[in-house]
Amino acid sequence: MATQLTTHQTGADSAIERLPRVFSGIQPSGNFHLGNYLGAIRNWVKQQDLYANTFCIVDLHALSLATTREGLQENIRNLATIIVASGIDPEHCTLFVQSDVAEHSELCWILQSVTQFGELRRMTQFKDKSGGQDESVSSALFTYPVLQAADILLHDAELVPVGEDQKQHIELTRDVAHRFNQRYGETLVLPRPDIKEEGARIMALDDPTKKMSKSSPNPNSYVALGDTPDIIRRKIKRAVTDSGSEIVVDPDKPALSNLISIYAILTEQTPAEVQEAFVGKGYGAFKSDLGDVIVAAIEPIQRRLAELDASPEIIEEVLRSGAVKARDYARGTMIRVRDRVGLGGF
Ligand code: TYM
């Protein structure tokens, strides 16, 4: 059987010069926010010409928390539209929906056999999301990081551009891939996280000790991509700040530092430069400018969103052709994996 395998299927690297492979994913769980944009998608867009990119709307992951059929369908469509409106070029990147490629679930099961229970118990996201209720949450929430490992390893990703909160999951992916390779021989590529210094951890506007999150019950804690300019400006005005009045980056002023960091990324400055520009000006002037900066960044995306929403067949075609490309690649990896493990084949 192995004699018929192609280079991709055998895992041997081609001599032809090629771009490094990138994979990243995002859950269709509603309320796409500024943290998702600054921590992930903005970087995907900025770097898309440097890599061979695969981006995935991870609908199977979204099932780990309760969903409805209509809600999930709407979220998948909206998220795909947001990703394209944000600047991902479907001609250059593969964009697809996870459940359209059954190999993700298959590899997840195989990887569960080399993942330790204790490793999953140590995942901080499980502890956060289960809220200590581990008797009643779905077991999918517990095994979620194995599916994430399968996503990455199936596409031979070398780099995974994500926010800080995903670092532990990428480290687990490396450990699982390493263990698999030790048991079955070199098969899977060990990925590295690509986490930028700026924007990797955008904090909630109402509480700088918590990250900005899609699942927050308080809509004032995040700027959603669909917020109108008025709402954005109001949310920034209401954002908590620390005591004092000067615009300074200071670890003892986490709320202000978070806002400065958002301002700095969107205006392509360093936080020190932002601090310099606001010497002698108070919180009021800073927040008013920050509101304008966010609105200016989001408005062109919203305009493209409206155009794409008017022609839904564009996104449908992007996802259909993305699934064909992703399935094709995944099939090759699974031929290699099944062969190494000794599954089926008769
Ligand atoms: P998700 O859907 O929660 O978030 C998508 C991306 O947004 C980043 N992010 C943030 N960055 C900065 N500040 C924040 N407050 C913030 N909140 C979210 C996340 O780090 C992420 O990059 N498990 C993943 C989805 C996933 C995945 C994958 C990612 C599934 N398979 C394979 C990479 C590779 C998740 O729930 O992301």
Side-chain angles (χ1 to χ4, degrees):
M1 185 178 171
T3 50
Q4 273 135 41
L5 302 186
T6 66
T7 326
H8 162 48
Q9 290 159 355
T10 57
D13 218 339
S14 144
I16 303 164
E17 210 182 313
R18 56 168 192 85
L19 296 174
R21 294 186 61 80
V22 154
F23 182 95
S24 200
I26 178 162
Q27 286 197 65
S29 42
N31 294 328
F32 181 93
H33 57 68
L34 199 59
N36 298 131
Y37 179 65
L38 297 179
I41 294 202
R42 189 167 177 274
N43 298 324
W44 301 359
V45 172
K46 278 179 87 168
Q47 306 184 143
Q48 62 183 326
D49 294 337
L50 303 177
Y51 302 118
N53 309 283
T54 306
F55 299 122
C56 184
I57 295 168
V58 293
D59 58 344
L60 293 171
H61 276 96
L63 297 184
S64 59
L65 297 174
T67 53
T68 62
R69 182 185 189 283
E70 289 71 26
L72 187 58
Q73 285 280 290
E74 190 185 332
N75 286 342
I76 293 170
R77 181 183 286 277
N78 287 345
L79 184 55
T81 316
I82 286 174
I83 293 172
V84 175
S86 298
I88 286 297
D89 174 4
E91 294 291 318
H92 188 65
C93 307
T94 301
L95 175 66
F96 74 105
V97 179
Q98 185 183 34
S99 63
D100 281 342
V101 181
E103 283 81 355
H104 285 254
S105 308
E106 184 185 359
L107 184 59
C108 174
W109 179 256
I110 295 172
L111 293 180
Q112 288 194 48
S113 66
V114 289
T115 307
Q116 296 165 353
F117 190 83
E119 284 177 316
L120 295 180
R121 211 168 31 196
R122 286 193 289 277
M123 293 293 113
T124 55
Q125 281 227 334
F126 175 72
K127 290 183 202 163
D128 291 348
K129 290 196 178 174
S130 62
Q133 302 293 308
D134 35 355
E135 288 297 314
S136 54
V137 296
S138 72
S139 51
L141 195 64
F142 188 67
T143 53
Y144 176 113
V146 192
L147 181 57
Q148 182 161 350
D151 298 339
I152 296 167
L153 299 173
L154 193 56
H155 295 276
D156 291 334
E158 293 152 270
L159 270 185
V160 186
V162 281
E164 177 73 33
D165 61 343
Q166 298 301 315
K167 191 171 175 205
Q168 197 186 27
H169 289 166
I170 316 298
E171 281 162 2
L172 176 78
T173 302
R174 286 178 65 86
D175 292 344
V176 166
H178 179 68
R179 197 171 301 128
F180 184 100
N181 288 349
Q182 279 196 320
R183 190 175 295 178
Y184 298 112
E186 276 313 305
T187 311
L188 301 171
V189 175
L190 267 57
R192 279 185 297 119
D194 176 20
I195 300 172
K196 305 295 177 210
E197 207 175 307
E198 290 299 326
R201 197 167 170 76
I202 301 294
M203 308 312 281
L205 299 177
D206 61 339
D207 180 354
T209 64
K210 294 196 184 121
K211 66 168 188 169
M212 193 176 277
S213 161
K214 290 190 205 118
S215 54
S216 167
N218 177 10
N220 287 322
S221 71
Y222 53 79
V223 172
L225 214 76
D227 283 347
T228 62
D230 281 354
I231 291 178
I232 294 173
R233 291 195 180 93
R234 203 175 63 228
K235 284 184 176 179
I236 297 300
K237 271 206 187 91
R238 292 179 57 157
V240 298
T241 33
D242 310 276
S243 57
S245 60
E246 280 172 62
I247 309 304
V248 282
V249 185
D250 179 342
D252 291 335
K253 294 180 188 278
L256 185 59
S257 300
N258 186 44
L259 299 181
I260 293 176
S261 168
I262 295 172
Y263 193 108
I265 303 168
L266 290 176
T267 55
E268 309 230 324
Q269 299 179 76
T270 63
E273 285 168 338
V274 176
Q275 179 175 316
E276 184 67 24
F278 282 93
V279 170
K281 299 179 188 165
Y283 286 170
F286 171 67
K287 282 180 155 184
S288 162
D289 277 15
L290 177 58
D292 291 345
V293 162
I294 297 174
V295 167
I298 287 184
E299 257 183 342
I301 300 176
Q302 289 183 338
R303 252 198 319 276
R304 283 195 295 274
L305 262 177
E307 284 162 19
L308 288 166
D309 277 340
S311 311
E313 68 284 358
I314 297 179
I315 293 298
E316 284 162 16
E317 181 47 33
V318 165
L319 294 179
R320 249 195 313 271
S321 66
V324 170
K325 284 192 270 175
R327 211 176 286 132
D328 194 44
Y329 198 90
R331 200 171 288 141
T333 309
M334 285 316 297
I335 290 174
R336 184 171 99 215
V337 166
R338 283 193 215 109
D339 180 59
R340 294 282 159 88
V341 174
L343 288 166
F346 298 99

